[in-house]
Amino acid sequence: MRVIRLFGEWAVLLALSIAGAIFLQSSDLTQRIDNQLLDNVSAFARPAPSDDIEIIAIDDRSLAEIGGWPWPRARHAQLLDRLTDAGARIVVLDILFLEDSTAEDDAALAQALRRNGNVLLPHTFEDRADATEGTDPLYPLPEFQAAARVGHVAAEPDPDGILRRFDLMRATDQGSFPHLAVQALEMLGQPDAAGEHGSSALITFQPDDVPSFYSASAVIDGEYSPEFFKDKIVLIGATAQGMGDRYSVSDDTVRLMTGIETQANLINALITKSVITPIGALWQNAIAVIALLVLFATFWYLSPRWGLYVAIALVGILIATSISMLAIGWLWLPVVPAIIVIALAYPLWSWRRLSHVSRYLDREAARLVRSNEAVEQGRGMEYVARQVDRVRGLIHSVQGSLSYIRQVIEAAPDAMLVVDDDGAVQILNGKADQLFPGWEDHEPLSLTELFAFGRATLQRDATELMTEDGRTFLIARSHLGTPGQDDLSGDILALRDISALRRLDQERKQMLEFLSHDMRTPQVAIIGLTRKQADAPTNCDTMTRIRKQANRTLKLADDFVQLARLESPELQLEDSDIRALIEEACDRAYVLAEAKHIAIEQQLPDDPCFADVDASLIARMMDNLIGNAVKYSPEHSTITVGLSATGEASHKISVSDEGAGLPEARVKDPFARFGAHATDAGPSAGLGLALVKKVVDAHQGTIDVASKKGAGTKFTISLEQ
């Protein structure tokens, strides 16, 4: 029961651990820690920088040379024309042109946008006016929007304030709006960027010196050769202090990055297909469940030390798996939920196991202490240490008791052996050593190997052992041990020398052969000779008396032989029809019954009644019962023989007569042997009912006698299979 309870606690803790891992995976409770882990290993998933991306920065130098912000839009038009002349592939102008300036400047910028034909402008979102929720897109001026493509540049950092994810498609109640980077890739001939990565993109960022920056004033002044920007993706944005938006990003360390840099990193990740794809919840849960199953299997089958080793190894494997998937396939596996559950499961299970060990030590201490002894408290600084010390002392006491038991076994009058549950011989006393000398040199030996080593053979269904010198030993076996303590269990065997009993048994068999043959043969001859002289005119009375005495002697010999054979447990059991045996016994008694005008009424079932019995002994039993009934019943009476089935393999046999009943001397013990005596029905050897009782006992049945003076006798026999 204690094992079942421990297994139940193990199963419950496993189920709770799996449920906890799934809950943490589906919630945001561990998102910050997972993000920090991602930041720390982001170097393994950093994409190679694209040589096609260049940033033109509106930096402090540009502001100093061109003038303060905002610039006239003619300056932006001049910059665009430079890039148009240089043959830039696309231009991302990350500046929000939301308000009107002078008509001349706005027209100049619109014309520059149209001349280039591959310019991307950003738009953002603003809170909906006169509403508590909802946003509306905020686009550039219509003339700019008509001359260029537009994409949103909205970005929201994670709860820890660090930007890692971009909305490739932002959905509002007014529709879905593609990101500026998605529009850029569509212009580059990769229209499925949003569909390939979903609505959100998780990326890692390049170091702060990648990509390179070029001052906007230097480009306008023509300091760079026009071929420098040919077929390049050029991003124009503010980097000067106090201008534009800045985000906290992480590339091993947290730092600030301008908005134009984040756009460049996103476009680079999309072009190089290094956007990180988070593993789905199903796979996250499956990996966590597998790790927990391995851990809990270790808890159940291995030691606590190995449980700790496996827990640490699983944490390392989970982290290594997450890093490998990130570095090889740009897949992100959050493992913090599984690690947290593993970190909690080990001490919880260790606590439960320690609690069980503590209770076990208390139980064992109480069990080992004798009833008349006080429980000695152990020594130690803490409770478990005191328990261990107490059990250690009790074990020493038990070892002393075992030594005493060994002495008892050694002093036993019989040869004794102790074998464990695997059949290996563990202990032999001195008398057994004399039977199997030198067995220690061949350890370990099984019991069968030991007997073969001593040239001894098993007999009588492995209940006796015969040695090479002809001695016979009776094998007595008894189980040792306490339930639940398999390591302290086995069998103890005692070999008792019964050689003298076997000699007596052989002599008894020889005597039975003498009685059954040598003694019966002259009696049969006497009966035959007297029958021939029965018609002689003289001495007929003498011959009759001789024949009666010979018959009596022959019956006495037969009954004695049958009784002697019943002393042997070797019954010849076979599936026999009891109904047929009774009918045959009634047929054999017919002549004697007919001579006295006695009717034998058979109350037998119509169908055969089979049972495992010794048919010859059952037949002899019925002959004695029916013969006695005929012998002691008056003339013109009735003898009733019955048979009924009382169960699937149980039968009841009855024989009743209408005689004078049993004598008072036999009523108290009807089956005792009364010796040879004369009765009204003739001489009796006194063995008939004793034989009947022996047959019933040999078949493990019962016999009841109901006798009333002057009202007859009824014998009822129950045979149970």
Side-chain angles (χ1 to χ4, degrees):
M1 180 61 72
R2 290 189 289 269
V3 174
I4 295 176
R5 177 181 175 183
L6 183 61
F7 179 79
E9 293 182 1
W10 176 87
V12 169
L13 185 57
L14 172 60
L16 291 176
S17 299
I18 292 175
I22 294 175
F23 170 75
L24 290 176
Q25 295 280 18
S26 61
S27 66
D28 296 332
L29 296 178
T30 61
Q31 184 179 9
R32 287 177 176 267
I33 307 176
D34 277 315
N35 288 337
Q36 290 176 4
L37 178 60
L38 175 61
D39 294 340
N40 292 330
V41 301
S42 60
F44 294 100
R46 184 173 294 154
S50 174
D51 295 334
D52 296 332
I53 299 176
E54 305 292 351
I55 296 178
I56 296 178
I58 302 174
D59 53 6
D60 293 332
R61 173 189 170 183
S62 298
L63 294 178
E65 294 179 356
I66 296 176
W69 193 260
W71 288 346
R73 288 175 182 171
R75 284 292 188 183
H76 297 295
Q78 186 180 3
L79 179 59
L80 278 176
D81 287 338
R82 287 286 188 184
L83 296 175
T84 301
D85 295 338
R89 190 172 181 183
I90 64 171
V91 178
V92 178
L93 186 55
D94 189 17
I95 299 173
L96 293 172
F97 298 106
L98 304 178
E99 299 176 352
D100 295 326
S101 67
T102 65
E104 183 180 355
D105 283 346
D106 289 345
L109 179 56
Q111 291 173 3
L113 292 172
R114 283 191 290 270
R115 281 193 298 270
N116 185 286
N118 290 312
V119 179
L120 269 168
L121 293 178
H123 79 86
T124 185
F125 298 90
E126 64 176 352
D127 293 335
R128 187 168 297 167
D130 301 328
T132 57
E133 59 183 15
T135 59
D136 293 322
L138 192 59
Y139 290 109
L141 295 176
E143 58 267 34
F144 301 152
Q145 186 177 353
R149 282 204 178 195
V150 178
H152 82 82
V153 291
E156 292 184 4
D158 288 332
D160 58 359
I162 297 177
L163 180 65
R164 301 180 184 90
R165 295 167 178 83
F166 294 88
D167 291 335
L168 298 182
M169 295 294 294
R170 171 163 288 198
T172 68
D173 55 0
Q174 295 188 14
S176 296
F177 301 90
H179 194 276
L180 190 72
V182 174
Q183 295 285 51
L185 261 72
E186 186 171 343
M187 295 174 65
L188 294 172
Q190 301 181 30
D192 296 330
E196 182 179 351
H197 302 290
S199 61
S200 177
L202 173 65
I203 69 170
T204 57
F205 294 90
Q206 299 292 339
D208 55 1
D209 57 347
V210 179
S212 301
F213 291 82
Y214 304 95
S215 177
S217 62
V219 175
I220 294 173
D221 293 340
E223 294 182 10
Y224 299 102
S225 172
E227 289 78 10
F228 191 81
F229 297 104
K230 184 176 178 59
D231 295 328
K232 296 295 183 69
I233 303 169
V234 181
L235 292 88
I236 304 173
T239 62
Q241 292 294 327
M243 287 186 59
D245 46 1
R246 279 175 166 77
Y247 300 95
S248 294
V249 298
S250 176
D251 56 348
D252 298 338
T253 59
V254 177
R255 63 186 179 88
L256 291 178
M257 180 176 285
T258 61
I260 192 64
E261 291 178 84
T262 64
Q263 307 302 332
N265 276 272
L266 177 57
I267 293 174
N268 181 74
L270 292 173
I271 290 175
T272 58
K273 298 187 181 302
S274 55
V275 173
I276 299 172
T277 302
I279 295 295
L282 180 62
W283 281 104
Q284 293 182 42
N285 293 334
I287 292 173
V289 169
I290 291 173
L292 289 172
L293 288 176
V294 172
L295 178 65
F296 274 77
T298 305
F299 287 166
W300 188 258
Y301 291 107
L302 300 179
S303 65
R305 176 183 296 177
W306 276 104
L308 177 61
Y309 292 161
V310 170
I312 295 173
L314 284 174
V315 171
I317 291 172
L318 287 173
I319 295 175
T321 301
S322 181
I323 295 174
S324 300
M325 295 175 69
L326 187 64
I328 297 173
W330 306 101
L331 298 173
W332 172 237
L333 172 64
V335 294
V336 171
I339 293 175
I340 290 176
V341 173
I342 290 174
L344 292 175
Y346 178 78
L348 284 175
W349 175 249
S350 299
W351 164 67
R352 289 308 305 146
R353 183 145 54 178
L354 181 60
S355 176
H356 278 277
V357 169
S358 178
R359 288 199 300 269
Y360 170 78
L361 292 175
D362 283 337
R363 285 195 305 268
E364 289 302 297
R367 187 180 63 84
L368 293 174
V369 173
R370 297 170 183 168
S371 58
N372 59 345
E373 292 182 353
V375 179
E376 181 182 354
Q377 297 298 321
R379 292 171 293 179
M381 294 297 294
E382 59 93 29
Y383 184 74
V384 175
R386 291 193 295 273
Q387 288 180 308
V388 171
D389 184 71
R390 179 173 57 181
V391 172
R392 184 186 297 113
L394 292 172
I395 289 175
H396 288 312
S397 175
V398 170
Q399 288 175 340
S401 300
L402 289 176
S403 177
Y404 176 76
I405 292 174
R406 285 178 178 269
Q407 296 176 13
V408 171
I409 293 175
E410 188 65 31
D414 298 322
M416 299 187 71
L417 307 87
V418 178
V419 298
D420 58 22
D421 282 339
D422 296 328
V425 179
Q426 301 295 322
I427 301 174
L428 271 73
N429 67 356
K431 293 180 175 60
D433 276 332
Q434 295 174 5
L435 287 178
F436 311 103
W439 72 279
E440 302 93 338
D441 300 333
H442 301 273
E443 290 187 277
L445 290 177
S446 67
L447 194 60
T448 304
E449 293 170 340
L450 179 68
F451 292 160
F453 171 76
R455 295 184 177 85
T457 57
L458 293 172
Q459 297 182 342
R460 296 177 180 264
D461 296 331
T463 59
E464 294 183 4
L465 184 72
M466 178 170 285
T467 60
E468 190 178 20
D469 58 4
R471 287 183 295 169
T472 303
F473 293 86
L474 179 65
I475 302 176
R477 180 187 293 261
S478 180
H479 185 69
L480 291 173
T482 303
Q485 294 182 329
D486 295 338
D487 55 337
L488 298 176
S489 62
D491 289 335
I492 182 169
L493 283 77
L495 306 181
R496 173 156 294 183
D497 192 346
I498 58 170
S499 302
L501 293 178
R502 285 291 165 257
R503 287 194 297 271
L504 292 175
D505 185 58
Q506 185 64 30
E507 293 174 358
R508 183 180 64 84
K509 289 181 179 179
Q510 293 174 355
M511 181 186 67
L512 288 178
E513 292 178 0
F514 167 75
L515 288 174
S516 61
H517 183 268
D518 296 345
M519 188 173 179
R520 290 179 80 256
T521 299
Q523 300 303 318
V524 173
I526 292 172
I527 293 172
L529 292 174
T530 56
R531 185 174 288 115
K532 291 180 180 180
Q533 299 295 325
D535 297 330
T538 59
N539 296 329
C540 59
D541 182 59
T542 302
M543 292 299 173
T544 300
R545 292 174 61 188
I546 292 173
R547 186 168 64 253
K548 287 183 178 181
Q549 293 300 323
N551 281 327
R552 177 181 177 188
T553 305
L554 181 60
K555 186 177 185 304
L556 177 62
D558 287 343
D559 288 348
F560 184 81
V561 169
Q562 292 297 331
L563 276 174
R565 285 177 176 171
L566 281 173
E567 297 295 336
S568 173
E570 299 177 357
L571 297 180
Q572 302 298 321
L573 298 178
E574 56 183 353
D575 196 17
S576 305
D577 183 3
I578 299 179
R579 178 180 179 276
L581 295 175
I582 294 175
E583 286 181 335
E584 293 171 0
C586 291
D587 292 341
R588 288 192 293 272
Y590 175 77
V591 176
L592 183 60
E594 182 66 21
K596 296 181 66 175
H597 306 286
I598 295 176
I600 300 179
E601 180 180 342
Q602 301 180 37
Q603 297 179 352
L604 307 178
D606 296 334
D607 298 326
C609 296
F610 289 96
D612 288 332
V613 296
D614 189 319
S616 63
L617 292 180
I618 295 296
R620 188 61 183 265
M621 176 189 74
M622 295 307 302
D623 287 343
N624 282 4
L625 288 176
I626 298 174
N628 283 348
V630 173
K631 184 186 297 185
Y632 297 110
S633 293
E635 295 184 354
H636 304 286
S637 61
T638 300
I639 296 173
T640 303
V641 180
L643 172 65
S644 61
T646 58
E648 183 177 353
S650 303
H651 302 86
K652 181 176 290 186
I653 303 172
S654 63
V655 178
S656 60
D657 60 44
E658 298 176 351
L662 292 176
E664 292 184 4
R666 298 214 68 151
V667 171
K668 294 181 180 180
D669 191 359
F671 305 108
R673 182 186 171 190
F674 276 71
H677 58 284
T679 66
D680 295 338
S684 172
L687 294 175
L689 291 181
L691 175 64
V692 170
K693 186 66 166 62
K694 289 287 186 181
V695 172
V696 174
D697 290 344
H699 287 81
Q700 298 182 349
T702 59
I703 182 169
D704 296 321
V705 182
S707 181
K708 188 174 181 181
K709 189 174 182 180
T713 303
K714 182 176 182 180
F715 291 88
T716 303
I717 299 168
S718 296
L719 297 178
E720 303 286 342
Q721 295 296 314

